[in-house]
Amino acid sequence: MSSLAARLPAPVPRRAWPTDLPVLLIAVVWGASYLAAKGIATRDTVIAVLVLRFALVLPVLVVAGWRRLRALKAAQWRGAGLLGLVLSGIFLLETYGVVHTSATNAGLIISLTMIFTPLAEAAVTRTRPPASFVAAAGLSVAGVVLLTRSGGFTAPSGGDLLMLLAALARTFYVLAMARTKAVRQADSLSLTTVQLGGAVAVLAVLAALPGTGPAPWTVAAGFGAREWAALAFLAVFCTLGAFFVQMWAVRRTSPSRVSLLLGTEPLWAAATGIAIGGERLGAAGVLGAVLVLTGTTWGRRAADR
C-alpha cells in the first residue's frame, strides 16, 4: 500500500486553489471575448475599439486608487509603464491577428504560450523545467489542435504570424511581471491603473495618426446598446479584471503555472461558441477538450512537485 502511494502523483495542495481559480475564470472570460470583440471590431476600427476598451475603465481606476497612485515610487511608475507598453502591443497583435486570420488559427497559436513560458522561464532562471510539466503543456496544445480542428484550420497567413508574436509577447509579459522587483512590491490596483494608462497613451497616439481608421469618438457614436454592452464586458472583465488577477496571481505562483491555466482559453472559447453561438463540437473536439483539461490538471500537479 505504501509503495503504491509513493508512485501516485501528489494531490494538488488546497492552498493552490484560491490562486488558480481566479486565473481559470480569466481564461473563461477571455474565451468568451472572441464573440464580443468580433461583434464590434472591424479591420478599420481595431485601434478605436481598443482605445475605448481601455479608456472606459481608466477614469474609475484613477479616482478609486488616487491615494495609492500618489504613493507609488518612481521605479514603480517606470516598471508599470513599461508593462503598459507591452500590454498595448499584445492587444494590437491579438486584435489585428484575429481580424486577419480565422478564430480557429488564432486560438491554436495563442495557446503556444503554454509551451513558450516554461521554456523561457527555464532559460531565465537557468533551471530545467520538469519533464512532466513540459509534457503536460504539450498534451494541452495537442488538445487545442483537436478542439479547433472542427472549426477548420486554414492555411497560415500574415494574421497567424501576428498571433505567434502575440504569444511571445504574452510570455514576455508574464515573466516581466514576475521578475520586476518594483512591480512585485506595489499593490495590484495601482499597477493595473498605470499599465492601462500607458496602453491608452500608446493607442491614442496611434489613433491620431492618419490612415489608422476612424476616431474613437466617431466609432462610439455609432454604437448601439448591444455594442456598448460588449464593450463594457471587454473593458471590465476581459481587461481590468483579467490583468488585475493575472498580476495578483503571478506574484503568488509561477509564471508557467499561470500561463498553463490561461492556455485553456481556446477550450472556453469553444464552449462559448456552442452555448451562445450555436456551434457544434464533433468527436475530435470532445477528445481535444478532454486532453486540454487532462494536460492542465497534470501540469498543475507537476508544478506543485
Side-chain angles (χ1 to χ4, degrees):
M1 179 70 177
S2 59
S3 60
L4 175 61
R7 294 195 299 269
L8 292 175
V12 179
R14 290 181 180 272
R15 64 179 181 274
W17 279 108
T19 302
D20 288 350
L21 184 58
V23 178
L24 192 60
L25 290 176
I26 293 306
V28 175
V29 168
W30 277 354
S33 69
Y34 283 104
L35 284 178
K38 189 175 181 180
I40 61 176
T42 65
R43 295 186 179 185
D44 296 328
T45 62
V46 167
I47 295 178
V49 168
L50 287 176
V51 170
L52 294 171
R53 176 175 176 176
F54 284 98
L56 194 63
V57 295
L58 187 58
V60 178
L61 287 177
V62 172
V63 172
W66 179 247
R67 291 184 178 179
R68 295 181 181 180
L69 285 173
R70 294 180 62 183
L72 289 179
K73 299 178 181 178
Q76 294 170 333
W77 278 93
R78 289 193 299 268
L82 290 175
L83 287 176
L85 296 180
V86 179
L87 179 61
S88 64
I90 291 173
F91 274 94
L92 283 170
L93 290 170
E94 287 183 352
T95 308
Y96 274 116
V98 169
V99 167
H100 290 88
T101 188
S102 67
T104 299
N105 287 31
L108 173 59
I109 295 171
I110 203 66
S111 69
L112 294 177
T113 308
M114 289 187 289
I115 296 293
F116 293 158
T117 302
L119 296 179
E121 186 179 13
V124 171
T125 59
R126 297 183 180 181
T127 57
R128 179 177 299 180
S132 56
F133 186 92
V134 176
L139 184 66
S140 296
V141 173
V144 172
V145 173
L146 292 175
L147 184 64
T148 58
R149 183 180 176 184
S150 60
F153 189 86
T154 61
S157 64
D160 296 325
L161 176 59
L162 293 176
M163 294 305 301
L164 180 61
L165 293 175
L168 293 171
R170 276 194 185 189
T171 299
F172 176 79
Y173 179 81
V174 174
L175 291 178
M177 281 195 300
R179 297 185 64 82
T180 303
K181 185 177 181 180
V183 170
R184 294 201 307 268
Q185 294 174 344
D187 68 283
S188 299
L189 178 61
S190 298
L191 293 176
T192 301
T193 303
V194 176
Q195 283 189 77
L196 292 182
V200 168
V202 172
L203 295 170
V205 170
L206 293 177
L209 297 177
T212 55
W217 52 83
T218 302
V219 175
F223 279 175
R226 182 177 181 180
E227 287 78 11
W228 278 111
L231 184 65
F233 171 75
L234 291 171
V236 176
F237 294 99
C238 303
T239 303
L240 174 60
F243 285 94
F244 181 89
V245 169
Q246 188 175 0
M247 188 176 303
W248 168 82
V250 80
R251 291 185 289 183
R252 289 164 173 78
T253 183
S254 69
S256 297
R257 190 185 185 101
V258 171
S259 68
L260 185 68
L261 292 169
L262 292 178
T264 61
E265 176 185 340
L267 172 63
W268 308 115
T272 303
I274 294 172
I276 302 177
E279 299 177 359
R280 294 185 178 182
L281 196 63
V286 173
L287 176 60
V290 172
L291 291 181
V292 170
L293 292 176
T294 302
T296 304
T297 303
W298 183 18
R300 291 178 68 255
R301 292 184 177 181
D304 289 332
R305 291 196 297 272

